[in-house]
Amino acid sequence: VVDHNKCVAETKVQHLFFDGDLREGRAHCLDVRDLHSGEALAPAEAEGVFVHRVDLYRACVDAEYFVKALEECERKMTQRSLRAQGAMRG
């Protein structure tokens, strides 16, 4: 659940879903929704912020894979929050 309506999304807690079987156009196992409207977020809108497709090979060979993935998702969430703050200020 993502809160974008008249307030900035949560910045202290970011829920992430890591999935090694997630395929483009096949996100049937995920249902990321806006907190206020209840509307589902498009997979492209959730990808890399709330959802991360795990590259299983890279996860096995790179001990820092999940750390890097988390940092990238956090960076994208920060950018999203800053855009939302700018939109609220008008």
Side-chain angles (χ1 to χ4, degrees), residues 39-74:
E39 295 293 319
L41 294 181
E45 190 176 352
E47 176 67 32
V49 180
F50 306 106
V51 178
H52 177 79
R53 184 191 164 281
V54 175
D55 180 324
L56 298 175
Y57 175 76
R58 286 183 51 214
C60 289
V61 298
D62 182 357
E64 296 293 311
Y65 177 81
F66 286 101
V67 172
K68 293 173 188 174
L70 177 61
E71 288 172 347
E72 181 65 15
C73 290
E74 288 175 337

Side-chain angles (χ1 to χ4, degrees), residues 5-22:
N5 190 16
K6 297 184 182 178
C7 63
V8 177
E10 175 63 58
T11 57
K12 298 194 185 321
V13 176
Q14 180 178 352
H15 299 275
L16 297 171
F17 185 82
F18 288 84
D19 189 344
D21 192 37
L22 189 62

